[in-house]
């Protein structure tokens, strides 16, 4: 709908009495809110007829400029579409859970000798996936267990395919050494099948199978093999006693999620406990963005979490929660899953104990969040005093650093601190292209001009731009002088702070440079404001040097291939494609190199000798 033709009265009058999704926009065409409705006419109209709206919704309604709708076939379909819009558009007045990354899985690949690996992304056949897990540590713990018991390989294909001797993991009995032929394909696949059985929660079935194998091996006088099975049984028994918690169904354990909601002093938390195959694999606390909601309602947060956490993702067999999941949301989840899901709010026995533990963890997480926010706010307040700013005017800080090795592979970093925390998803790296090698001042000029010049253009085109409240420069008077020059060219008035390294680069001895007031001074080592600046500066330095090293190493290895007579762009690309990258080419033998199209035996020897 165009802004000039939108008439609210006419729009409301012509809305259909059908289910669907509505999107509310402000005058700059920014989406304010996305909602679903069983009846679009009644639901959308209620925003302009009720007097008992929450403060958050009242504030939002004042900003509505126009509304768009999409009709669906059912309420369940509307709920799924609403969730997709919320994730794609991140509306200002919707309840948003910021941690929206895909969750990690443990993967057993579909190779002849399957690899066991941490995986995050779209699930693909013929690989087997187990999870999802709440975090990467939970996946790595499971991998560590499986390495001990089943000795499955974890190495990348490029390494596995080019090894002639087994690695250290074989020596310490964490891998059966399939790369060097220490185990047959049949025996290795048996170990993979047992690992999958264990991950599926059928531990008792697996232990019975191993008992049978142990007795058969002992009967055949294969005592070493029998001892191997005995060790596996013992290890599984210990892990089962420590982790197996769904004893209601020991022979058919379920995938269970426990969800506990806690609300206190304007903050809300959902604590998620994940049980897969009867084993507790991890838990995690989630906090919604409540900045635009002065009176949070727990049930609203709970429903938003369930929709955003499960729609479009893998779902457990049972969801146990200390709040009720609306029937329409239950139907949408079941419809999407294609099989029944149990929703439980009242339970007994050990499941009740686990739900109580989840509630306690949610309360503890809220307490920690409050303490963290109090600490971060104190740091910001102290920095605001130093900069002669109002305490509530300082929220978003951006910091820049330059990294290179004697002018090689120069990279600039920009890290962002916002919402009282660092924001890695908003970090940016810039490959410096115009500055001469080793010219840090020119590199700083380029990155600042590129970033803020682009933001100016976006703002001029009516786009919503998040400007920083303060810009930090990791450097001395030279770098801060360049920043001042760029500010004059672009007409910017954002406060600048230079952070110059102290004597011998000693932490706590940094000099702060405030160019617009002409001040240069040091803060006490115990200053909360200094601690905040150090945290952001160190993160900027880490991010810059990491990017620089990647760029430098890639350039050097690529250059190594280019320096070999007879290697042009086509042959270089063929080598990189065949071995999965530069590291794989370096690990390849002469015989393997000669198998690449266009690479003769003589050229393979040249490549091998050059890289070694």
């Amino acid at each position: 709908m165009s802004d000039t033709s939108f008439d609210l009265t006419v729009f409301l009058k012509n809305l259909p009495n059908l289910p669907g999704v509505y999107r509310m926009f402000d005058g700059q065409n920014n989406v304010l809110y996305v909602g679903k409705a069983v009846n679009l006419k009644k639901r959308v109209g209620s925003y302009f007829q009720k007097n008992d709206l929450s403060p958050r919704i009242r504030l939002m309604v004042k900003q509505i400029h126009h509304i768009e709708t999409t009709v669906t076939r059912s309420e369940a379909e509307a709920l799924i579409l609403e969730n997709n819009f919320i994730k794609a558009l991140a509306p200002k007045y919707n309840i948003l859970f910021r941690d929206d990354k895909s969750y990690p899985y443990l993967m057993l690949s579909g190779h002849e000798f399957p690899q066991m690996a941490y995986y995050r992304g779209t699930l693909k056949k013929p690989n087997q996936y187990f999870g999802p897990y709440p975090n990467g540590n939970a996946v790595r713990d499971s991998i560590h267990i499986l390495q001990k018991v089943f000795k499955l390989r974890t190495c990348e294909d490029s390494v596995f395919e080019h090894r002639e001797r087994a690695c250290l993991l074989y020596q310490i009995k964490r891998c059966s050494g399939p790369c060097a032929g220490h185990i047959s394909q049949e025996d290795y696949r048996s170990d993979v099948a047992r690992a999958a059985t264990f991950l599926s929660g059928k531990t008792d079935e697996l232990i019975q199978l191993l008992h049978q194998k142990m007795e058969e091996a002992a009967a055949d006088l294969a005592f070493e093999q029998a001892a191997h099975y005995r060790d596996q049984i013992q290890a599984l028994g210990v892990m089962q006693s420590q982790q197996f918690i769904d004893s209601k169904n020991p022979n058919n354990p379920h995938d269970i999620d426990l969800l506990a909601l806690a609300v206190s002093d304007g903050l809300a938390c959902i604590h998620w406990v994940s049980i897969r195959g009867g084993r507790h694999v991890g838990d995690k606390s989630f906090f919604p963005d409540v900045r635009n909601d002065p009176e949070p309602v727990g049930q609203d947060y709970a429903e938003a979490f369930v929709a955003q956490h499960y729609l479009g993702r893998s779902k457990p067999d049972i969801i146990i929660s200390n709040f009720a999941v609306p029937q329409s949301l239950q139907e949408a989840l079941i419809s999407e899953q294609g099989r029944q899901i149990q929703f439980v709010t009242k339970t007994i026995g050990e499941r009740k104990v686990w739900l109580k533990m989840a509630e306690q963890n949610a309360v503890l997480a809220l307490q920690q969040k409050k303490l963290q926010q109090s600490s971060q706010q104190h740091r910001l307040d102290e920095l605001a005093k130093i900069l002669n700013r109002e305490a509530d005017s300082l929220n978003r800080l951006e910091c820049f650093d330059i990294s290179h090795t004697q002018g090689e592979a120069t990279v600039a970093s920009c890290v962002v601190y916002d919402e009282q925390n660092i924001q890695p998803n908003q970090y940016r790296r810039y490959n410096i292209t115009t500055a001469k090698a080793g010219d840090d001042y020119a590199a700083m000029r380029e990155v600042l001009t590129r970033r803020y010049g682009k933001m100016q253009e976006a703002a001029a085109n009516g786009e919503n731009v998040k400007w920083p409240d303060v810009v930090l420069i990791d450097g001395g008077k030279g770098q801060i002088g360049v920043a001042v020059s760029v500010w004059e060219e672009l007409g910017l008035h954002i406060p600048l702070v230079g952070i110059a390294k102290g004597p011998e680069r000693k932490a706590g001895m940094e000099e702060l440079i405030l160019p617009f007031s002409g001040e240069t001074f040091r803060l006490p080592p115990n200053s909360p404001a200094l601690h905040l600046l150090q945290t952001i500066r160190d993160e900027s330095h880490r991010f810059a040097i990491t990017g620089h090293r990647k760029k430098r190493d890639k350039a050097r290895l690529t250059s190594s291939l280019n320096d070999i007579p007879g290697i042009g762009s086509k042959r270089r690309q063929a080598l990189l494609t065949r071995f999965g990258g530069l590291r794989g080419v370096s690990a390849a033998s002469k015989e393997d190199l000669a198998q690449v199209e266009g690479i003769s035996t003589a050229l393979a020897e040249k490549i091998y000798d050059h890289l070694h």
Side-chain angles (χ1 to χ4, degrees):
M1 298 179 187
S2 66
D3 296 348
T4 55
S5 63
F6 185 78
D7 186 312
L8 180 61
T9 304
V10 174
F11 174 79
L12 294 175
K13 184 178 179 180
N14 288 282
L15 278 173
N17 294 299
L18 294 171
V21 173
Y22 54 92
R23 299 175 295 287
M24 296 174 169
F25 297 84
D26 64 14
Q28 286 73 47
N29 210 37
N30 299 313
V31 63
L32 295 169
Y33 187 78
V34 174
K36 64 152 183 17
V38 179
N39 185 311
L40 282 169
K41 190 178 188 71
K42 291 182 179 179
R43 182 72 183 102
V44 177
S46 69
Y47 286 95
F48 305 95
Q49 296 165 1
K50 288 184 178 181
N51 295 318
D52 59 347
L53 298 172
S54 71
R56 173 171 61 98
I57 299 302
R58 279 202 304 271
L59 185 61
M60 182 265 293
V61 169
K62 292 178 182 178
Q63 301 174 56
I64 294 174
H65 183 269
H66 61 280
I67 304 171
E68 296 178 359
T69 61
T70 302
V71 173
T72 59
R73 292 172 295 181
S74 65
E75 183 185 5
E77 188 175 292
L79 202 154
I80 293 171
L81 181 60
E82 175 200 36
N83 184 65
N84 290 338
F85 274 132
I86 289 172
K87 289 183 176 180
L89 301 173
K92 182 177 180 179
Y93 289 98
N94 279 92
I95 296 170
L96 301 175
F97 286 85
R98 294 295 183 184
D99 192 344
D100 195 33
K101 297 179 288 187
S102 61
Y103 293 102
Y105 288 80
L106 188 153
M107 179 189 74
L108 296 176
S109 69
H111 297 97
E112 290 183 359
F113 288 95
Q115 175 200 15
M116 176 174 60
Y118 172 103
Y119 182 83
R120 192 191 291 270
T122 305
L123 308 188
K124 302 173 184 177
K125 295 181 179 180
N127 304 331
Q128 296 182 74
Y129 299 93
F130 300 89
Y133 290 78
N135 52 60
N137 288 334
V139 180
R140 295 181 185 99
D141 287 344
S142 292
I143 289 176
H144 184 64
I145 289 169
L146 296 176
Q147 279 185 304
K148 282 184 176 180
V149 180
F150 302 107
K151 300 179 174 61
L152 303 184
R153 77 174 180 95
T154 55
C155 56
E156 296 291 336
D157 293 343
S158 58
V159 175
F160 176 78
E161 292 170 1
H162 300 103
R163 288 203 70 89
E164 297 177 358
R165 295 171 54 193
C167 68
L168 179 63
L169 288 175
Y170 172 75
Q171 305 296 332
I172 63 174
K173 298 184 179 180
R174 292 294 183 271
C175 178
S176 53
C179 59
H182 292 296
I183 185 172
S184 68
Q185 184 178 342
E186 181 182 356
D187 289 342
Y188 187 84
R189 284 195 168 275
S190 295
D191 285 337
V192 172
R194 291 169 192 151
T197 301
F198 170 72
L199 289 168
S200 299
K202 301 175 182 176
T203 313
D204 287 342
E205 178 183 320
L206 177 58
I207 289 176
Q208 289 176 8
L209 174 63
L210 293 174
H211 264 294
Q212 180 183 339
K213 292 282 188 183
M214 180 181 69
E215 291 168 0
E216 290 174 356
D220 293 338
L221 305 181
F223 298 117
E224 187 175 339
Q225 188 65 25
H228 171 70
Y229 290 130
R230 178 204 62 202
D231 293 342
Q232 286 188 332
I233 292 168
Q234 290 177 348
L236 288 171
V238 171
M239 285 181 286
Q240 187 180 36
S241 65
Q242 291 175 342
Q243 293 189 312
F244 198 82
I245 66 168
D246 190 25
S247 59
K248 282 191 172 187
N249 298 280
N251 296 317
N252 185 26
H254 295 293
D255 288 350
I256 302 174
D257 279 2
L258 297 118
L259 304 176
L261 167 69
V263 180
S264 175
D265 298 332
L267 288 176
C269 173
I270 299 281
H271 191 76
W272 167 42
V273 179
S274 178
I275 299 167
R276 293 296 178 265
R279 293 187 307 117
H280 175 217
V281 296
D283 51 275
K284 186 173 186 177
S285 294
F286 294 84
F287 300 92
D289 183 352
V290 296
R291 288 173 299 168
N292 298 304
D293 196 354
E295 294 183 9
V297 180
Q299 184 64 26
D300 292 345
Y301 289 119
E303 293 176 20
F305 176 81
V306 172
Q308 293 177 38
H309 188 75
Y310 292 112
L311 285 171
R313 289 178 170 155
S314 176
K315 303 165 189 61
D317 304 311
I318 303 172
I319 296 176
I320 302 173
S321 59
N322 66 345
F323 54 85
V325 178
Q327 187 64 34
S328 59
L329 182 51
Q330 291 186 26
E331 292 172 1
L333 294 172
I334 292 170
S335 172
E336 195 177 67
Q337 184 77 341
R339 58 177 171 79
Q340 192 62 35
I341 300 173
Q342 294 181 43
F343 295 88
V344 181
T345 54
K346 294 181 180 179
T347 187
I348 59 174
E350 58 194 7
R351 291 184 180 179
K352 184 176 182 180
V353 172
W354 277 86
L355 182 58
K356 190 69 176 176
M357 289 175 60
E359 290 173 345
Q360 291 173 347
N361 278 304
V363 172
L364 288 171
L366 274 182
Q367 293 173 353
Q368 291 295 327
K369 187 76 169 178
K370 290 177 191 175
L371 290 172
Q372 181 185 13
Q373 287 189 346
S374 174
S375 173
Q376 292 298 321
Q377 188 59 53
H378 180 52
R379 291 180 174 187
L380 283 168
D381 291 346
E382 289 297 307
L383 182 59
K385 289 179 185 177
I386 293 167
L387 300 179
N388 295 315
R389 297 280 300 272
E390 294 293 329
D392 59 355
S393 68
L394 202 60
N395 295 298
R396 184 180 177 89
L397 286 71
E398 296 186 356
C399 183
F400 293 85
D401 188 24
I402 307 294
S403 182
H404 59 81
T405 301
Q406 296 180 340
E408 179 187 6
T410 304
V411 169
S413 71
C414 172
V415 305
V416 176
Y417 177 95
D418 198 6
E419 300 176 19
Q420 298 189 350
N421 208 345
I422 56 173
Q423 303 292 336
N425 62 326
Q426 298 182 42
Y427 290 5
R428 294 293 181 271
R429 286 196 187 102
Y430 296 84
N431 291 321
I432 300 303
T433 57
T434 60
K436 293 181 180 179
D439 189 342
D440 286 2
Y441 298 160
M444 184 64 72
R445 176 178 295 278
E446 179 181 333
V447 65
L448 292 175
T449 303
R450 284 169 61 182
R451 181 167 181 84
Y452 296 113
K454 186 176 181 180
M455 289 172 69
Q456 274 191 332
E457 291 178 11
N461 292 329
E463 297 179 31
N464 188 23
V465 175
K466 291 187 73 171
W467 291 97
D469 299 309
V470 174
V471 172
L472 310 176
I473 304 295
D474 184 11
K477 293 183 178 179
Q479 284 90 342
I480 203 73
V482 168
V484 170
S485 174
V486 172
W487 261 223
E488 291 172 352
E489 292 172 10
L490 298 178
L492 299 178
H493 302 284
I494 304 168
L496 284 165
V497 178
I499 309 174
K501 298 175 179 65
E504 300 179 359
R505 297 175 176 262
K506 188 175 181 180
M509 300 295 288
E510 293 89 344
E511 278 191 342
L512 300 188
I513 304 168
L514 307 184
F516 297 124
S517 65
E519 297 176 81
T520 300
F521 55 91
R522 290 178 184 164
L523 292 173
N526 62 348
S527 165
L530 177 62
H531 296 164
L532 175 62
L533 294 173
Q534 286 173 330
T535 298
I536 301 171
R537 186 274 315 276
D538 292 347
E539 181 65 0
S540 179
H541 182 66
R542 180 202 64 79
F543 190 59
I545 200 167
T546 301
H548 156 66
R549 285 172 177 166
K550 287 180 180 177
K551 182 181 178 183
R552 179 196 63 192
D553 293 346
K554 182 178 180 180
R556 287 180 179 177
L557 281 168
T558 303
S559 176
S560 294
L561 289 178
N562 289 338
D563 292 342
I564 303 172
I567 297 295
S569 59
K570 288 186 177 180
R571 284 175 175 165
R572 184 179 70 248
Q573 189 58 45
L575 286 165
L576 295 174
T577 302
R578 168 66 178 81
F579 296 108
L582 297 161
R583 187 175 296 177
V585 176
S586 298
S589 65
K590 296 177 183 178
E591 293 75 16
D592 293 328
L593 292 169
Q595 293 176 10
V596 178
E597 183 178 357
I599 306 296
S600 64
T601 302
L603 185 53
E605 289 183 0
K606 282 185 181 179
I607 296 170
Y608 186 88
D609 292 341
H610 185 86
L611 296 177
H612 294 83

